[in-house]
Amino acid sequence: MSKLRVAVIGARGRMGAEAVKAVNAADDLELVAALGRDDKRETLTEAGAEVAVELTHPDASPANVAFCVRHGIHAVVGTTGWSEERLATLRGQLADAPGTGVLIAPNFGIGAVLTMRFAQQAARFFESVEIVELHHPGKADAPSGTAVRTAQLIGEARAAAGLPAQPDATSSALDGARGADVAGVPVHAVRLRGLVAHQEVLFGDEGETFTLRHDSMNRGSFMPGVLLGVRRIGGAPGLTLGLEHFMDLRGLDLDG
Amino acid sequence: MSKLRVAVIGARGRMGAEAVKAVNAADDLELVAALGRDDKRETLTEAGAEVAVELTHPDASPANVAFCVRHGIHAVVGTTGWSEERLATLRGQLADAPGTGVLIAPNFGIGAVLTMRFAQQAARFFESVEIVELHHPGKADAPSGTAVRTAQLIGEARAAAGLPAQPDATSSALDGARGADVAGVPVHAVRLRGLVAHQEVLFGDEGETFTLRHDSMNRGSFMPGVLLGVRRIGGAPGLTLGLEHFMDLRGLDLDG
Amino acid sequence: MSKLRVAVIGARGRMGAEAVKAVNAADDLELVAALGRDDKRETLTEAGAEVAVELTHPDASPANVAFCVRHGIHAVVGTTGWSEERLATLRGQLADAPGTGVLIAPNFGIGAVLTMRFAQQAARFFESVEIVELHHPGKADAPSGTAVRTAQLIGEARAAAGLPAQPDATSSALDGARGADVAGVPVHAVRLRGLVAHQEVLFGDEGETFTLRHDSMNRGSFMPGVLLGVRRIGGAPGLTLGLEHFMDLRGLDLDG
Amino acid sequence: MSKLRVAVIGARGRMGAEAVKAVNAADDLELVAALGRDDKRETLTEAGAEVAVELTHPDASPANVAFCVRHGIHAVVGTTGWSEERLATLRGQLADAPGTGVLIAPNFGIGAVLTMRFAQQAARFFESVEIVELHHPGKADAPSGTAVRTAQLIGEARAAAGLPAQPDATSSALDGARGADVAGVPVHAVRLRGLVAHQEVLFGDEGETFTLRHDSMNRGSFMPGVLLGVRRIGGAPGLTLGLEHFMDLRGLDLDG
């Protein structure tokens, strides 16, 4: 069987270097190009890439993806910064390339995606929910993007189920003690030397609590998700937002 | 709006007493009968019960449910001991009562059901999985029935996905250190004064772990699940095994 | 052997009622008086109480304790609100009653006391430390008094060891995300239906983390600590602040 | 100020290489020798080493340490396999070298040492205690040596306090479910891809639980403990067993 021809854009970055390793290690994939900052995009077409993994930065990503779409190369994108406006432009480009697929995912960690998806499903069954995310102390933003996204999904699910605001009798609090409010969900950010990237979603109701926890120890943990995207994007023309669409989370028979 | 007429069979037991309280506290339900050991089943028909909550013991449950089915009373059953043979008999009885529904659930805890369901869905994405269940030291069986059922669901999902046996280089172990093997999943049972009923399912793969945890503090935690069953069983003729079928876990739009 | 004669002041309150039960259940103690709001303090002397457990409220506690000291009755006090000024007055009263002892403890939970004490000891070995406390949503203050006290002890231990401020590169944060600052220690307060009273102290350094966690499920959890105080206060004249002084935490041989 | 002259024996091993890095990075230490398998022990005396870090294997360690003692070089030993017999021999050698110190520690992780020490102190306050240790699936032994040692310390502390056997009503159990029995303490060993080295000690009593947890993410986590030993061994002639003796865990004022 012929291997899928894969290129990595941003191959000298930390995530890109991991992607190069992961593609090289996969039996069914062939790395045909690894582009750094100074390499021309034409390298992709010359190398005959079928799928490009795009791991650069927000300023460069839209042009890289546009190039791929124009040349019928499917793209799996881990770069952030895709605003609604940029997504609209991309959708226009994809309309002119009907067989081509682009996956943009804010998070390629299987555990992180499961946490978000399950949190969204569990939300309507519990009166209370809060998020505690924990990261190394070198992180610039608080809360993490994943925690904010998780809170938003939970807030939407609670609203759709008609749940009222969460119970909270706090009448005397120190500033910051009750966390940041994201879509009605308190989010707490812990920064601790020795940690990497962790998130806990705590649900509670009368007499019981239910907790989802994800621990990511290193960048390698994103690669199974990236490869899943690479293998599936050829069968999914158009724009796909979020790895969960390729995880068949609704395909399992309840009686299985 | 008229209220749903509900009876509790086994109303003097610990679970039954909680069910009586829960039905009484619900605006849309009316408690029309509360049967103890010495009460006749005819009380159910005389009281005009539409749904019966059955919380007795394995020897009594099949006859109670058969009576309900024969008289067109829907049943929500929390009693254990329903073997394949007993279920087959019940299916036959239901075939003669086409509009009547019976829900038999091994666990009415929403958190426990979510843990099992999500564990089943997550299983095929991770190389490793183990279960740690933790209970008060008065518990007779180890592991808990919920942990055994969870392990079986995980084992089936791994087999369906073609996953190999779990990695484990243990070559020198004390007896019992690696837990009990249930369907290829190691299960560890902790017994600790101060605990009630808790379960953790730990998944692991390269560089990341994903954990589901359920903590049940008291019997009241099962009542939201029992009431969910009571409200939904009228719309589900025939036999339903497991509360998860009434939780619409597949009904949520991924982009919601 | 004659039993120790114990009285409970505030016996109709929730904590007081537990104390009555606990004293009654102890073989070596005899409950000789149980005072409610309307009972006279003279009941204590008439009953021949040797030790009084004082569980009332901040406005009543100083006069109750002063009465005990004046009559040579040792006191074990769980009421809050003991300011420096009130403590100074009490010390003066105790100076005139040389054989009498008073124990005032902000927390009688053995686990809570161990958490505070061990946190204090561990503090100087770790670059980072944060506290997450979790309670039922009916709690009025955030963070809990125990969490604030724990943070203060940690802050003092870090200062004594000459540790610099904690590492934290956060440059963009939502309001409240990084918790409340108590003595340089971020403290996060979670409020969740189904929880009772829980606290986690997380320490981190290069490549490792160390966590202390205390879970209190019900008020009964404070009674072993109250009884420990009752049994020991007779041998400790003067004022003792904190149950830890009766726990012999330094008495264990390292090679034991 | 002159720097302390340090040698590393076993410098090509995984732990030894970390020690070389750690000594080189410390301002107050000078690496004067780094011996591999083929280097002569005389290198130590020629280099004028004051302290040697010994990280080799059980067969080589006794002779290495004997050489150090004979030449007045203090030793900090992380190699395992020090039986009672070997320790007796070493004590004899040290008797002839009164100013020289040897520290042998089964574990240099600060968090692991604190876990053991605090577990030992907490043991007598709780009716129940169990240990769950969690490691990567490449580990050969189960439970870990640290977990076994922790269980033994707890068992000794319970015996010294006159505690009875733990409560456990288990009457029907799958093989292995209740863990391995080490000194009366059930120990459970989890093996999961994605984990490194983790341990949880769970204590429980009426209405409360207390948990100590240690997470070690990489070998670097042992180096702060090794350096602490290097700096303190010169002031501790004779044989010291366990890093805890250099951690001043009893030196902190309770009112600090």
Side-chain angles (χ1 to χ4, degrees):
Chain A
M1 207 190 80
S2 73
K3 297 182 177 188
L4 191 61
R5 302 174 63 82
V6 181
V8 174
I9 315 179
R12 260 52 115 204
R14 292 186 302 184
M15 287 291 288
E18 291 285 336
V20 164
K21 273 201 290 185
V23 172
N24 274 327
D27 285 344
D28 59 333
L29 308 179
E30 182 182 354
L31 185 75
V32 296
L35 284 70
R37 196 168 309 182
D38 303 325
D39 292 310
K40 289 186 180 168
R41 290 183 192 116
E42 283 69 27
T43 313
L44 296 169
T45 41
E46 289 159 13
E50 296 170 275
V51 179
V53 178
E54 212 273 347
L55 299 163
T56 63
H57 54 90
D59 291 348
S61 189
N64 286 335
V65 176
F67 179 92
C68 289
V69 171
R70 204 154 56 234
H71 292 86
I73 301 171
H74 309 295
V76 170
V77 182
T79 311
T80 57
W82 282 88
S83 61
E84 277 309 315
E85 197 187 332
R86 287 175 174 194
L87 290 173
T89 303
L90 175 57
R91 279 195 185 92
Q93 296 159 348
L94 279 163
D96 299 331
T100 305
V102 173
L103 166 67
I104 299 181
N107 199 318
F108 279 99
I110 300 281
V113 171
L114 289 177
T115 300
M116 280 188 272
R117 175 69 178 138
F118 292 161
Q120 188 186 23
Q121 287 191 304
R124 75 202 136 98
F125 296 110
F126 296 96
E127 205 180 338
S128 301
V129 55
E130 304 212 0
I131 294 174
V132 181
E133 57 92 333
L134 313 93
H135 285 82
H136 60 90
K139 187 169 179 62
D141 52 324
S144 71
T146 298
V148 169
R149 180 78 184 125
T150 307
Q152 286 167 341
L153 291 170
I154 291 169
E156 287 162 15
R158 287 177 65 93
L163 293 192
Q166 301 198 37
D168 183 358
T170 309
S171 56
S172 152
L174 293 185
D175 240 35
R178 291 288 291 114
D181 182 321
V182 179
V185 179
V187 182
H188 311 267
V190 173
R191 297 292 171 262
L192 211 70
R193 182 77 74 208
L195 291 179
V196 185
H198 317 256
Q199 175 166 311
E200 230 172 48
V201 186
L202 301 105
F203 294 98
D205 213 314
E206 196 53 44
E208 72 169 341
T209 60
F210 174 68
T211 306
L212 299 164
R213 180 173 175 122
H214 176 234
D215 295 90
S216 179
M217 316 307 182
N218 59 53
R219 262 168 232 112
S221 70
F222 295 112
M223 291 309 132
V226 168
L227 297 192
L228 178 62
V230 165
R231 289 173 180 127
R232 299 287 298 267
I233 188 61
L239 180 60
T240 300
L241 292 176
L243 186 65
E244 59 272 28
H245 294 275
F246 290 174
M247 288 171 69
D248 303 325
L249 289 172
R250 285 189 286 184
L252 201 64
D253 186 341
L254 268 176
D255 297 305
Chain B
M1 207 190 78
S2 73
K3 297 183 178 188
L4 191 61
R5 301 175 65 82
V6 181
V8 175
I9 314 178
R12 261 51 115 207
R14 291 186 302 184
M15 288 290 289
E18 291 286 335
V20 165
K21 272 200 290 185
V23 171
N24 274 327
D27 286 343
D28 58 334
L29 307 179
E30 182 182 354
L31 185 75
V32 296
L35 284 69
R37 197 169 308 182
D38 303 325
D39 294 309
K40 290 187 182 166
R41 291 187 190 112
E42 284 68 28
T43 314
L44 296 169
T45 41
E46 289 160 12
E50 297 171 274
V51 179
V53 178
E54 211 274 347
L55 299 163
T56 63
H57 55 91
D59 290 348
S61 190
N64 287 335
V65 176
F67 179 91
C68 289
V69 171
R70 206 155 52 236
H71 292 87
I73 301 170
H74 309 295
V76 171
V77 183
T79 311
T80 57
W82 282 88
S83 61
E84 277 309 316
E85 199 187 329
R86 289 177 173 192
L87 290 173
T89 305
L90 175 57
R91 280 195 185 93
Q93 296 160 350
L94 280 163
D96 299 332
T100 305
V102 173
L103 166 67
I104 299 181
N107 199 317
F108 281 99
I110 300 280
V113 171
L114 289 176
T115 299
M116 279 188 272
R117 174 70 179 137
F118 292 161
Q120 187 186 24
Q121 288 192 303
R124 75 200 134 100
F125 296 110
F126 295 96
E127 206 179 337
S128 300
V129 56
E130 305 210 0
I131 294 175
V132 181
E133 56 91 332
L134 313 94
H135 285 81
H136 60 90
K139 188 172 179 59
D141 53 325
S144 69
T146 299
V148 169
R149 179 79 185 124
T150 307
Q152 285 166 342
L153 291 170
I154 291 169
E156 286 163 13
R158 287 178 64 94
L163 292 192
Q166 301 199 37
D168 183 358
T170 309
S171 57
S172 153
L174 293 184
D175 240 35
R178 290 288 289 114
D181 181 321
V182 180
V185 179
V187 182
H188 310 267
V190 173
R191 297 293 171 262
L192 212 70
R193 182 78 72 210
L195 291 179
V196 185
H198 316 257
Q199 174 166 311
E200 230 172 49
V201 186
L202 301 105
F203 293 99
D205 211 314
E206 195 54 43
E208 71 170 342
T209 60
F210 174 68
T211 307
L212 299 164
R213 181 174 174 121
H214 176 234
D215 294 89
S216 178
M217 317 307 184
N218 58 52
R219 262 169 231 110
S221 69
F222 295 111
M223 291 309 131
V226 169
L227 297 193
L228 178 63
V230 166
R231 288 172 181 128
R232 299 288 297 269
I233 188 62
L239 180 58
T240 301
L241 292 175
L243 187 65
E244 58 272 28
H245 294 275
F246 290 174
M247 288 172 69
D248 303 324
L249 289 171
R250 285 189 287 186
L252 200 65
D253 185 342
L254 269 175
D255 297 305
Chain C
M1 206 191 79
S2 74
K3 297 184 177 186
L4 191 62
R5 301 174 64 82
V6 181
V8 174
I9 314 179
R12 261 50 114 206
R14 292 186 301 183
M15 289 290 289
E18 291 286 335
V20 165
K21 272 199 292 184
V23 171
N24 274 328
D27 285 342
D28 58 334
L29 308 179
E30 183 182 352
L31 185 75
V32 296
L35 284 70
R37 197 170 308 183
D38 303 324
D39 293 310
K40 288 188 183 167
R41 292 187 190 111
E42 283 68 27
T43 314
L44 297 169
T45 41
E46 289 159 12
E50 295 170 275
V51 179
V53 178
E54 211 274 346
L55 298 164
T56 62
H57 54 90
D59 290 348
S61 189
N64 287 335
V65 177
F67 179 91
C68 289
V69 171
R70 203 154 56 237
H71 293 86
I73 302 170
H74 310 295
V76 170
V77 183
T79 311
T80 57
W82 283 88
S83 61
E84 277 310 315
E85 197 186 330
R86 289 177 172 192
L87 290 173
T89 304
L90 175 57
R91 279 196 185 91
Q93 297 160 349
L94 279 163
D96 298 332
T100 305
V102 173
L103 166 66
I104 299 181
N107 200 316
F108 280 99
I110 299 280
V113 171
L114 289 177
T115 300
M116 277 189 271
R117 175 68 178 138
F118 291 162
Q120 189 186 22
Q121 288 191 305
R124 75 200 136 100
F125 296 111
F126 295 96
E127 207 180 336
S128 300
V129 56
E130 305 211 0
I131 294 174
V132 181
E133 57 91 331
L134 312 94
H135 285 81
H136 60 91
K139 187 171 178 59
D141 52 325
S144 70
T146 299
V148 168
R149 180 77 185 125
T150 307
Q152 286 166 341
L153 290 170
I154 291 169
E156 287 162 15
R158 287 178 64 95
L163 292 192
Q166 301 198 37
D168 183 358
T170 309
S171 57
S172 153
L174 293 184
D175 240 36
R178 291 288 290 115
D181 182 322
V182 179
V185 178
V187 182
H188 310 268
V190 173
R191 296 294 171 262
L192 211 70
R193 183 76 73 209
L195 291 179
V196 185
H198 317 257
Q199 174 167 312
E200 229 173 48
V201 185
L202 301 105
F203 293 99
D205 211 315
E206 195 55 42
E208 71 169 343
T209 60
F210 175 68
T211 306
L212 300 164
R213 181 173 174 121
H214 177 233
D215 294 90
S216 179
M217 316 308 183
N218 60 52
R219 261 168 232 113
S221 71
F222 295 112
M223 290 309 131
V226 169
L227 297 192
L228 178 62
V230 165
R231 289 173 180 128
R232 300 287 298 269
I233 188 61
L239 180 59
T240 301
L241 292 175
L243 186 66
E244 58 272 28
H245 294 275
F246 290 173
M247 288 172 69
D248 303 325
L249 289 172
R250 285 188 289 186
L252 200 66
D253 186 342
L254 268 176
D255 297 306
Chain D
M1 206 189 78
S2 75
K3 298 182 175 186
L4 191 61
R5 300 173 66 82
V6 181
V8 175
I9 314 180
R12 260 52 114 206
R14 291 186 302 184
M15 288 291 289
E18 291 286 335
V20 164
K21 272 201 290 185
V23 171
N24 273 328
D27 285 344
D28 58 334
L29 308 178
E30 182 182 353
L31 184 76
V32 297
L35 283 70
R37 197 169 308 183
D38 303 325
D39 293 310
K40 290 187 181 166
R41 293 187 189 111
E42 284 69 27
T43 312
L44 296 168
T45 41
E46 288 160 12
E50 296 170 275
V51 179
V53 178
E54 211 273 347
L55 299 163
T56 63
H57 54 91
D59 291 346
S61 189
N64 286 335
V65 176
F67 180 92
C68 289
V69 171
R70 205 154 56 235
H71 293 87
I73 301 170
H74 309 295
V76 171
V77 182
T79 312
T80 57
W82 283 88
S83 62
E84 277 309 314
E85 198 187 331
R86 288 177 173 192
L87 290 172
T89 305
L90 175 57
R91 280 196 184 91
Q93 296 160 348
L94 280 162
D96 299 331
T100 305
V102 173
L103 166 67
I104 299 181
N107 199 317
F108 280 100
I110 299 280
V113 171
L114 289 177
T115 299
M116 278 187 272
R117 174 70 179 137
F118 291 161
Q120 189 186 21
Q121 287 191 305
R124 77 200 134 99
F125 296 110
F126 295 96
E127 204 180 339
S128 300
V129 56
E130 305 212 1
I131 295 175
V132 181
E133 58 92 333
L134 313 95
H135 285 81
H136 60 90
K139 187 170 179 60
D141 52 325
S144 70
T146 299
V148 169
R149 179 79 185 124
T150 306
Q152 287 166 340
L153 291 170
I154 291 169
E156 287 162 15
R158 287 178 65 95
L163 293 191
Q166 302 199 36
D168 183 359
T170 309
S171 56
S172 152
L174 292 186
D175 239 36
R178 291 288 290 114
D181 181 321
V182 180
V185 179
V187 182
H188 311 267
V190 173
R191 297 293 171 262
L192 211 70
R193 183 76 73 209
L195 291 179
V196 186
H198 317 256
Q199 176 167 310
E200 230 172 49
V201 186
L202 301 105
F203 294 99
D205 212 315
E206 195 53 44
E208 72 169 342
T209 60
F210 174 67
T211 306
L212 299 164
R213 181 174 173 121
H214 176 233
D215 293 270
S216 178
M217 317 307 183
N218 59 53
R219 261 169 232 112
S221 70
F222 295 111
M223 291 308 131
V226 169
L227 297 192
L228 178 62
V230 165
R231 288 173 180 126
R232 299 287 297 271
I233 188 61
L239 180 59
T240 301
L241 291 176
L243 186 65
E244 58 272 29
H245 294 275
F246 291 174
M247 288 173 69
D248 303 324
L249 288 173
R250 285 190 285 184
L252 201 65
D253 185 343
L254 268 175
D255 298 306

